[in-house]
Amino acid sequence: MRVLGVDPGLTRCGVGVVEGVAGRPLAMLGVGVVRTSADADLGHRLVAIEQGLEQWLDEHRPEYVAVERVFSQHNVRTVMGTAQASAVALLCASRRGIPVALHTPSEVKAAVTGSGRADKAQVGAMVTRLLRLAAPPKPADAADALALAICHIWRAPAHNRLQQAAALHATRASQPSHASKGRTA
């Protein structure tokens, strides 16, 4: 499974591609940051993020895109920028028919470090260890993008089983039960 992780942000949008399956060693295929100038017009910044993400999608051809779910912070301006960058990632992937998964920061931290309250240094250290890198990716946005991809690879099998079970349940619920067959009112 090849996953593009996206840590959304207007100034620095972390991107990282990881390939592998749960229970096996993972491989980093690429990591970086799509940058925009804080002085630029919002529309131009969003276009720059789109162009950067499109290049990553063209180059790495992921099967899935994992994006950090926007969570409420005290700074509404930061949340809005993160949400806008997140929407660009969703749009780019959806336009290509690539499934998108949203993971909360605490889900990613728990998956990678074992604690949903881990700090950036702990996430970077575990990403380095799990991907057998010489040093943690810099800046932290890049390491966070790799952590998102790792989280998705590890959580996808369980998530897929849950989706299949829900679909089976919905199918069975929509079919008439055997007890009611043959009865007339």
Side-chain angles (χ1 to χ4, degrees), residues 12-184:
R12 290 184 319 269
C13 184
V15 286
V17 181
V18 176
E19 189 169 62
V21 295
R24 303 248 190 221
L26 303 172
M28 180 188 77
L29 302 181
V31 66
V33 176
V34 177
R35 297 179 187 273
T36 69
S37 171
D39 298 335
D41 174 67
L42 175 61
H44 290 104
R45 294 177 82 183
L46 295 173
V47 168
I49 291 169
E50 177 197 24
Q51 291 170 342
L53 291 175
E54 290 290 346
Q55 288 175 348
W56 278 84
L57 291 167
D58 285 342
E59 182 177 343
H60 294 285
R61 305 231 180 264
E63 299 165 78
Y64 298 91
V65 173
V67 180
E68 184 175 273
R69 183 183 299 274
V70 178
F71 64 100
S72 178
Q73 295 177 338
H74 299 296
N75 186 342
V76 175
R77 186 171 170 219
T78 301
V79 170
M80 288 302 296
T82 302
Q84 291 162 334
S86 178
V88 171
L90 289 161
L91 173 70
C92 291
S94 296
R95 182 185 297 139
R96 293 169 180 248
I98 301 171
V100 179
L102 299 172
H103 299 285
T104 66
S106 60
E107 287 173 344
V108 175
K109 292 173 185 180
V112 174
T113 71
S115 170
R117 295 183 177 196
D119 62 24
K120 293 232 181 237
Q122 291 170 310
V123 171
M126 284 306 297
V127 165
T128 303
R129 178 180 289 160
L130 293 168
L131 296 175
R132 298 170 312 283
L133 305 175
K138 301 285 185 195
D141 308 275
D144 290 348
L146 291 171
L148 275 153
I150 293 167
C151 173
H152 186 71
I153 289 169
W154 286 353
R155 293 175 59 104
H159 179 72
N160 290 342
R161 284 192 299 274
L162 286 172
Q163 283 185 321
Q164 290 169 349
L168 180 60
H169 178 73
T171 301
R172 288 182 178 162
S174 67
Q175 296 174 349
S177 69
H178 295 291
S180 65
K181 287 184 180 178
R183 291 188 179 166
T184 58

